[in-house]
Amino acid sequence: MSEVSFSKTIQLIHKEIQGKLNNTNSIINDYIASDIPIIPKLGQYFFKKRGKQLRPVMCLLSSKMINKNYTKLKTDTYMSAALEFIHAATLLHDDVIDKGAIRRGQKSINEIWNNKFSVLLGDFMFSKSFQLMTQGKSLKAMEHLSEVSSKISEGEFLQLSNENNVTLKSSEYIKIISLKTAELFGAAMKVPAILTGKKNQEIVNLYKLGINFGIIFQIIDDTLDYFGDKKTGKEIGKDFMEGKVTLPIILLLKKVSKPDYMIIKKLFTKNKRNQKDLNLILSKLKKNEIKRDCLNYAKKYQIKSEIILNKYDNKQSGLFKDLLVSSIQRKN
């Protein structure tokens, strides 16, 4: 397959589900309305830049891939909006936890207003997601989607309790990112199948597809934290400075000598790390070809996903395959 860029693939997917994505965004606009003036003001600011909208986009593309009556379905649009509200809530809370100052190329809510506003807006977004779930008119779909919120929180707790932990195993890392990132993608993929009463095996397969994509996406995100391009605006070494042990560090620690292992361990047990520390880590990552190892790690999940996607032979499954490949190749 010829190389296809991540942004181009996203554009093609957006085009494929444009009508329903427009409806999703109209629903989002309607649901950030409130008689309390500060709420729509903050909501409109937050959603001014909508980004890639990967979660609702994957929900709608999954729906089109598996449902012949896709154009007549309306419940999938409500669920895709609910997914975006859950994601928005987690971002608002993350910015408080991580002291994030920039979100989607503009100042974050907590940076302009303060942490209290960011937390409360996150809570508001969560409440709106549950309102939207009821519009899906499926108790089973609601159960699955509401369960995701608690799993994301569990992932955040697990990550927080493992900061500076250089003994973190790759299996534990996968568990963290599965809960924190991949579960929402898993829900996005399987909810359309639940809404239309598909067989359990298909629901499970679609869930696995979403989980695999989420794992790939987070692995590449964590890899770009060390190997990203500054020209694209990616801040290099943010995870390192925060003491987050991610896949590049886990794989590096498996390769280095005992003296280097002790040096890296010492860096992660420091209260604060500096640019000199980061430069040292970057040189060791490069020397040990860790970027290649991380990409190969992600490709295992791509192969598993393509086996499932081969069960579908349509334009949407082809777009999903392009999304998997381009996700691994992305530069930012």
Side-chain angles (χ1 to χ4, degrees):
M1 194 189 99
S2 60
E3 187 172 315
V4 57
S5 77
F6 183 64
S7 57
K8 180 69 177 171
T9 305
I10 298 295
Q11 284 172 20
L12 290 169
I13 294 172
H14 274 229
K15 193 177 175 185
E16 183 68 11
I17 45 99
Q18 196 64 64
K20 285 201 181 184
L21 186 58
N22 290 342
N23 292 343
T24 298
N25 282 315
S26 295
I27 292 166
I28 289 168
N29 294 339
D30 290 344
Y31 273 69
I32 54 172
S34 171
D35 292 336
I36 315 300
I38 189 67
I39 295 173
K41 183 181 179 180
L42 293 176
Q44 283 160 18
Y45 175 81
F46 180 84
F47 282 119
K48 188 163 70 176
K49 292 188 177 180
R50 308 239 163 165
K52 295 178 283 292
Q53 296 193 292
L54 275 174
R55 290 131 194 101
V57 160
M58 287 180 72
C59 177
L60 296 172
L61 190 64
S62 174
S63 184
K64 193 167 187 179
M65 181 173 77
I66 64 169
N67 291 312
K68 286 178 181 173
N69 65 335
Y70 167 79
T71 51
K72 292 176 183 174
L73 270 175
K74 287 198 177 123
T75 49
D76 54 0
T77 313
Y78 284 106
M79 286 303 198
S80 70
L83 284 157
E84 190 68 342
F85 271 117
I86 294 171
H87 180 53
T90 62
L91 295 181
L92 286 157
H93 289 166
D94 277 356
D95 285 342
V96 173
I97 294 163
D98 298 334
K99 300 182 176 68
I102 302 292
R103 174 62 66 189
R104 289 172 180 162
Q106 61 182 18
K107 285 186 178 180
S108 58
I109 295 286
N110 52 303
E111 183 70 10
I112 295 181
W113 286 272
N114 60 39
N115 285 346
K116 292 175 185 177
F117 280 105
S118 197
V119 170
L120 286 172
L121 185 63
D123 293 345
F124 179 80
M125 300 282 192
F126 266 130
S127 68
K128 288 296 170 182
S129 75
F130 284 98
Q131 272 184 277
L132 280 158
M133 284 178 216
T134 63
Q135 298 294 324
K137 297 179 172 44
S138 164
L139 186 59
K140 192 178 176 186
M142 192 174 178
E143 280 172 6
H144 281 264
L145 207 48
S146 58
E147 187 186 6
V148 172
S149 303
S150 62
K151 285 185 175 179
I152 293 169
S153 298
E154 285 171 358
E156 293 286 0
F157 272 114
L158 203 53
Q159 184 178 62
L160 201 58
S161 57
N162 278 289
E163 273 187 6
N164 313 101
N165 178 16
V166 292
T167 62
L168 189 72
K169 295 185 182 74
S170 54
S171 58
E172 293 167 328
Y173 163 80
I174 293 296
K175 186 178 181 183
I176 290 169
I177 67 170
S178 293
L179 290 166
K180 194 173 78 83
T181 303
E183 278 291 342
L184 199 53
F185 286 115
M189 291 296 292
K190 73 177 176 179
V191 158
I194 295 167
L195 291 172
T196 51
K198 296 290 186 288
K199 288 180 181 175
N200 194 55
Q201 189 54 56
E202 185 166 21
I203 293 168
V204 169
N205 284 341
L206 289 164
Y207 171 71
K208 283 178 184 172
L209 269 178
I211 291 289
N212 290 346
F213 174 80
I215 290 170
I216 289 170
F217 196 80
Q218 193 60 54
I219 284 173
I220 302 305
D221 242 26
D222 293 343
T223 305
L224 288 170
D225 192 71
Y226 292 101
F227 296 99
D229 188 343
K230 285 178 185 175
K231 286 182 233 168
T232 61
K234 183 78 179 171
E235 188 184 340
I236 306 297
K238 189 171 182 282
D239 287 345
F240 174 74
M241 295 300 189
E242 290 172 4
K244 287 179 184 171
V245 177
T246 56
L247 191 64
I249 299 300
I250 293 166
L251 297 181
L252 177 65
L253 287 166
K254 282 183 181 178
K255 276 188 160 184
V256 295
S257 63
K258 189 70 189 274
D260 274 354
Y261 182 96
M262 296 313 292
I263 289 167
I264 296 164
K265 185 179 179 180
K266 195 176 176 183
L267 289 179
F268 274 91
T269 51
K270 284 171 73 172
N271 287 332
K272 276 192 172 183
R273 284 146 293 282
N274 56 38
Q275 189 62 42
K276 188 183 171 185
D277 299 333
L278 176 60
N279 291 342
L280 179 66
I281 286 289
L282 290 173
S283 67
K284 292 191 185 302
L285 287 164
K286 191 176 179 181
K287 183 185 170 185
N288 288 279
E289 298 183 310
I290 298 301
K291 182 181 180 180
R292 180 201 63 192
D293 294 349
C294 288
L295 297 187
N296 286 338
Y297 205 102
K299 280 172 188 171
K300 293 177 194 172
Y301 292 93
Q302 177 199 334
I303 292 161
K304 288 179 189 176
S305 299
E306 285 176 344
I307 292 165
I308 298 170
L309 284 166
N310 286 338
K311 297 176 193 295
Y312 303 93
D313 185 21
N314 54 31
K315 188 180 177 183
Q316 296 80 42
S317 62
L319 285 167
F320 271 126
K321 285 179 183 178
D322 286 351
L323 186 63
L324 289 164
V325 174
S326 62
S327 294
I328 294 171
Q329 294 171 349
R330 69 191 173 96
K331 303 288 190 290
N332 66 347

